[in-house]
mmCIF file of all heavy atoms in Angstrom:
data_model
loop_
_atom_site.group_PDB
_atom_site.id
_atom_site.type_symbol
_atom_site.label_atom_id
_atom_site.label_comp_id
_atom_site.label_asym_id
_atom_site.label_seq_id
_atom_site.Cartn_x
_atom_site.Cartn_y
_atom_site.Cartn_z
ATOM 1 N N SER A 77 119.679 115.503 99.561
ATOM 2 C CA SER A 77 120.986 115.710 98.933
ATOM 3 C C SER A 77 120.983 117.151 98.134
ATOM 4 O O SER A 77 121.996 117.731 98.026
ATOM 5 C CB SER A 77 121.404 114.494 98.009
ATOM 6 O OG SER A 77 120.620 114.408 96.933
ATOM 7 N N PHE A 78 119.887 117.396 97.477
ATOM 8 C CA PHE A 78 119.859 118.523 96.748
ATOM 9 C C PHE A 78 119.980 119.808 97.707
ATOM 10 O O PHE A 78 120.774 120.738 97.382
ATOM 11 C CB PHE A 78 118.498 118.726 95.980
ATOM 12 C CG PHE A 78 118.382 119.964 95.156
ATOM 13 C CD1 PHE A 78 118.746 119.924 93.816
ATOM 14 C CD2 PHE A 78 117.919 121.189 95.689
ATOM 15 C CE1 PHE A 78 118.600 121.020 92.890
ATOM 16 C CE2 PHE A 78 117.878 122.211 94.906
ATOM 17 C CZ PHE A 78 118.187 122.231 93.422
ATOM 18 N N LEU A 79 119.393 119.848 98.807
ATOM 19 C CA LEU A 79 119.459 120.875 99.835
ATOM 20 C C LEU A 79 120.759 120.933 100.411
ATOM 21 O O LEU A 79 121.199 121.975 100.906
ATOM 22 C CB LEU A 79 118.333 120.780 100.902
ATOM 23 C CG LEU A 79 116.946 120.991 100.352
ATOM 24 C CD1 LEU A 79 115.939 120.643 101.338
ATOM 25 C CD2 LEU A 79 116.785 122.467 99.829
ATOM 26 N N ASP A 80 121.527 119.787 100.529
ATOM 27 C CA ASP A 80 122.800 119.756 101.204
ATOM 28 C C ASP A 80 123.962 120.084 100.344
ATOM 29 O O ASP A 80 125.039 120.259 100.863
ATOM 30 C CB ASP A 80 123.007 118.441 101.860
ATOM 31 C CG ASP A 80 122.130 118.075 103.096
ATOM 32 O OD1 ASP A 80 121.582 119.110 103.642
ATOM 33 O OD2 ASP A 80 122.056 116.897 103.445
ATOM 34 N N LYS A 81 123.729 120.240 99.034
ATOM 35 C CA LYS A 81 124.781 120.606 98.074
ATOM 36 C C LYS A 81 125.335 121.949 98.651
ATOM 37 O O LYS A 81 124.567 122.868 98.813
ATOM 38 C CB LYS A 81 124.234 120.769 96.675
ATOM 39 C CG LYS A 81 124.042 119.411 96.017
ATOM 40 C CD LYS A 81 123.561 119.638 94.602
ATOM 41 C CE LYS A 81 123.138 118.370 94.001
ATOM 42 N NZ LYS A 81 122.487 118.551 92.601
ATOM 43 N N SER A 82 126.655 122.013 98.638
ATOM 44 C CA SER A 82 127.234 123.302 99.155
ATOM 45 C C SER A 82 128.226 123.827 98.037
ATOM 46 O O SER A 82 128.826 122.999 97.383
ATOM 47 C CB SER A 82 128.003 123.193 100.452
ATOM 48 O OG SER A 82 128.983 122.101 100.376
ATOM 49 N N PRO A 83 128.248 125.080 97.948
ATOM 50 C CA PRO A 83 129.271 125.643 97.032
ATOM 51 C C PRO A 83 130.620 125.275 97.333
ATOM 52 O O PRO A 83 130.955 125.024 98.526
ATOM 53 C CB PRO A 83 128.956 127.266 97.074
ATOM 54 C CG PRO A 83 128.192 127.427 98.332
ATOM 55 C CD PRO A 83 127.609 126.083 98.758
ATOM 56 N N SER A 84 131.475 125.279 96.359
ATOM 57 C CA SER A 84 132.913 124.895 96.528
ATOM 58 C C SER A 84 133.693 125.916 97.500
ATOM 59 O O SER A 84 134.683 125.622 98.090
ATOM 60 C CB SER A 84 133.595 124.700 95.301
ATOM 61 O OG SER A 84 133.525 125.978 94.524
ATOM 62 N N SER A 85 133.149 127.171 97.596
ATOM 63 C CA SER A 85 133.859 128.146 98.290
ATOM 64 C C SER A 85 133.529 127.961 99.876
ATOM 65 O O SER A 85 132.625 127.282 100.198
ATOM 66 C CB SER A 85 133.508 129.566 97.847
ATOM 67 O OG SER A 85 132.139 129.814 98.104
ATOM 68 N N ALA A 86 134.173 128.738 100.652
ATOM 69 C CA ALA A 86 133.912 128.667 102.099
ATOM 70 C C ALA A 86 132.807 129.688 102.469
ATOM 71 O O ALA A 86 132.551 130.004 103.720
ATOM 72 C CB ALA A 86 135.164 128.979 102.837
ATOM 73 N N ALA A 87 132.194 130.274 101.498
ATOM 74 C CA ALA A 87 131.134 131.212 101.778
ATOM 75 C C ALA A 87 129.891 130.451 102.490
ATOM 76 O O ALA A 87 129.680 129.428 102.367
ATOM 77 C CB ALA A 87 130.664 131.882 100.435
ATOM 78 N N PRO A 88 129.145 131.345 103.201
ATOM 79 C CA PRO A 88 127.934 130.682 103.893
ATOM 80 C C PRO A 88 127.015 130.045 102.826
ATOM 81 O O PRO A 88 126.933 130.532 101.697
ATOM 82 C CB PRO A 88 127.258 131.911 104.612
ATOM 83 C CG PRO A 88 128.028 133.117 104.187
ATOM 84 C CD PRO A 88 129.201 132.753 103.567
ATOM 85 N N LYS A 89 126.307 129.040 103.236
ATOM 86 C CA LYS A 89 125.399 128.284 102.246
ATOM 87 C C LYS A 89 124.273 129.255 101.898
ATOM 88 O O LYS A 89 123.498 129.828 102.732
ATOM 89 C CB LYS A 89 124.807 127.208 103.085
ATOM 90 C CG LYS A 89 124.238 126.089 102.304
ATOM 91 C CD LYS A 89 123.932 124.959 103.054
ATOM 92 C CE LYS A 89 123.462 123.774 102.217
ATOM 93 N NZ LYS A 89 123.224 122.603 102.993
ATOM 94 N N PRO A 90 124.054 129.465 100.579
ATOM 95 C CA PRO A 90 122.986 130.242 100.067
ATOM 96 C C PRO A 90 121.585 129.658 100.332
ATOM 97 O O PRO A 90 121.607 128.433 100.559
ATOM 98 C CB PRO A 90 123.292 130.430 98.590
ATOM 99 C CG PRO A 90 124.021 129.221 98.265
ATOM 100 C CD PRO A 90 124.764 128.850 99.439
ATOM 101 N N ARG A 91 120.637 130.454 100.318
ATOM 102 C CA ARG A 91 119.274 129.909 100.448
ATOM 103 C C ARG A 91 118.890 129.070 99.215
ATOM 104 O O ARG A 91 119.206 129.451 98.112
ATOM 105 C CB ARG A 91 118.248 131.130 100.421
ATOM 106 C CG ARG A 91 117.392 131.175 101.603
ATOM 107 C CD ARG A 91 116.501 132.372 101.709
ATOM 108 N NE ARG A 91 115.789 132.518 100.368
ATOM 109 C CZ ARG A 91 114.998 133.623 100.167
ATOM 110 N NH1 ARG A 91 114.812 134.350 101.191
ATOM 111 N NH2 ARG A 91 114.387 133.764 99.061
ATOM 112 N N PRO A 92 118.315 127.941 99.295
ATOM 113 C CA PRO A 92 118.064 127.135 98.179
ATOM 114 C C PRO A 92 117.035 127.710 97.291
ATOM 115 O O PRO A 92 116.080 128.393 97.787
ATOM 116 C CB PRO A 92 117.437 125.833 98.888
ATOM 117 C CG PRO A 92 116.942 126.241 100.170
ATOM 118 C CD PRO A 92 117.782 127.404 100.651
ATOM 119 N N ASN A 93 117.199 127.405 95.998
ATOM 120 C CA ASN A 93 116.296 127.954 94.990
ATOM 121 C C ASN A 93 115.188 126.798 94.901
ATOM 122 O O ASN A 93 115.386 125.737 94.517
ATOM 123 C CB ASN A 93 116.871 128.091 93.630
ATOM 124 C CG ASN A 93 116.107 128.567 92.607
ATOM 125 O OD1 ASN A 93 114.755 128.292 92.626
ATOM 126 N ND2 ASN A 93 116.564 129.371 91.658
ATOM 127 N N LEU A 94 114.069 127.156 95.452
ATOM 128 C CA LEU A 94 112.895 126.256 95.554
ATOM 129 C C LEU A 94 112.391 125.773 94.172
ATOM 130 O O LEU A 94 111.993 124.607 94.063
ATOM 131 C CB LEU A 94 111.685 126.897 96.370
ATOM 132 C CG LEU A 94 112.091 127.382 97.779
ATOM 133 C CD1 LEU A 94 110.929 127.882 98.573
ATOM 134 C CD2 LEU A 94 112.958 126.365 98.616
ATOM 135 N N THR A 95 112.312 126.662 93.176
ATOM 136 C CA THR A 95 112.016 126.257 91.879
ATOM 137 C C THR A 95 112.884 125.248 91.337
ATOM 138 O O THR A 95 112.493 124.218 90.678
ATOM 139 C CB THR A 95 111.861 127.474 90.923
ATOM 140 O OG1 THR A 95 110.983 128.458 91.638
ATOM 141 C CG2 THR A 95 111.346 127.151 89.627
ATOM 142 N N LEU A 96 114.163 125.435 91.479
ATOM 143 C CA LEU A 96 115.106 124.426 90.953
ATOM 144 C C LEU A 96 115.024 123.046 91.660
ATOM 145 O O LEU A 96 115.051 122.041 91.105
ATOM 146 C CB LEU A 96 116.636 124.922 91.188
ATOM 147 C CG LEU A 96 116.994 126.103 90.259
ATOM 148 C CD1 LEU A 96 118.387 126.474 90.476
ATOM 149 C CD2 LEU A 96 116.864 125.757 88.820
ATOM 150 N N LEU A 97 114.673 123.062 93.000
ATOM 151 C CA LEU A 97 114.425 121.818 93.750
ATOM 152 C C LEU A 97 113.240 121.122 93.086
ATOM 153 O O LEU A 97 113.248 119.859 92.959
ATOM 154 C CB LEU A 97 114.249 122.086 95.200
ATOM 155 C CG LEU A 97 113.868 120.960 96.116
ATOM 156 C CD1 LEU A 97 114.695 119.695 95.974
ATOM 157 C CD2 LEU A 97 113.722 121.288 97.540
ATOM 158 N N ALA A 98 112.126 121.927 92.988
ATOM 159 C CA ALA A 98 110.981 121.304 92.486
ATOM 160 C C ALA A 98 111.245 120.691 91.032
ATOM 161 O O ALA A 98 110.752 119.653 90.687
ATOM 162 C CB ALA A 98 109.819 122.369 92.390
ATOM 163 N N ARG A 99 111.863 121.537 90.164
ATOM 164 C CA ARG A 99 112.153 120.931 88.904
ATOM 165 C C ARG A 99 113.003 119.717 88.869
ATOM 166 O O ARG A 99 112.761 118.683 88.166
ATOM 167 C CB ARG A 99 112.743 122.000 87.948
ATOM 168 C CG ARG A 99 113.075 121.637 86.577
ATOM 169 C CD ARG A 99 113.508 122.591 85.692
ATOM 170 N NE ARG A 99 114.567 123.475 86.283
ATOM 171 C CZ ARG A 99 115.011 124.507 85.635
ATOM 172 N NH1 ARG A 99 114.662 124.909 84.516
ATOM 173 N NH2 ARG A 99 115.916 125.238 86.312
#
Side-chain angles (χ1 to χ4, degrees):
S77 70
F78 185 94
L79 292 171
D80 287 346
K81 286 181 186 173
S82 59
S84 56
S85 67
K89 197 173 188 179
R91 235 175 50 178
N93 184 324
L94 305 183
T95 304
L96 290 179
L97 171 56
R99 180 174 43 186

